[in-house]
Each structure stands twice: as C-alpha cells, then as structure tokens.
Amino acid sequence: MARKKKTSENEEFNYSKNESFENLQAVQEMALNRKGKDDEINPDISIFLKAEELKGKLCGLYSEKDKKTSTVNVMTSVKIDGKVLQINVGEKADVEIKDD
C-alpha cells in the first residue's frame, strides 16, 4: 500500500457515514471472497462479522442512548378528613421532594 502524504493541520477531513458504510461493505465482500491455498474460496467470517458490527454501530443500532429510563411517583403523605397520614413504603428515594 502506498504511503499518503502528511496533511497540513489546516486541512479539514471530510469523511461521511456513507463513505464509512461503503468501505465496510467492501471489506465484507473481500472477507467473503478471500482465497486460500489452491485458489479456492476461504471466507474469513470473523472479519465479516466485525465489519457488520461496525456498520451496526455506525447506524446507531448499538447506541447507549437507547436505554430507557423510568419515572417514579413518590407520595409523601395523604390527608384524610384533615388528618395527615405519613406513608412509609419501600426504600427511601434519593430525590428531593417538593410539597405543594
């Protein structure tokens, strides 16, 4: 492989997701069409799968932001007939509770 000239610090790199995806697709094709001894096709499945994983990450299939968060409603007290009842169920929450 030929060496590339060093780029100056002011030069911007323009590399898109589409270019990366196309390069990974080419790597997958090369991995499937790899030839072994006696020119018979001997695919490299590990390289194929790694490229597939990278394509999935590039498309956002394995992102951390997909984790769902749940909200918890906390009831501090109940007022019945003017009498305040303190509810104490479960573990104490680590949130600040504002009374209205």
Side-chain angles (χ1 to χ4, degrees), residues 53-93:
E53 178 186 351
L54 291 172
K55 283 172 36 181
K57 286 181 180 179
L58 185 64
C59 292
L61 295 177
Y62 307 115
S63 65
E64 292 290 324
K65 63 184 174 188
D66 289 342
K67 290 184 178 178
K68 301 200 183 222
T69 58
S70 59
T71 57
V72 177
N73 292 328
V74 179
M75 184 171 27
T76 56
S77 63
V78 178
K79 200 179 249 189
I80 299 176
D81 293 330
K83 188 175 180 184
V84 177
L85 302 174
Q86 293 292 336
I87 307 297
N88 189 9
V89 178
E91 295 180 9
K92 188 140 182 127

Side-chain angles (χ1 to χ4, degrees), residues 12-49:
E12 288 186 31
F13 292 101
N14 292 323
Y15 193 66
S16 69
K17 285 184 179 182
N18 289 336
E19 288 174 304
S20 181
F21 194 87
E22 289 171 7
N23 289 339
L24 290 169
Q25 188 70 30
V27 168
Q28 283 184 311
E29 290 295 323
M30 290 168 44
L32 287 179
N33 296 323
R34 190 182 117 201
K35 292 186 178 181
K37 294 180 182 178
D38 300 327
D39 283 339
E40 71 180 52
I41 293 179
N42 185 15
D44 191 338
I45 301 301
S46 64
I47 292 175
F48 177 86
L49 290 175

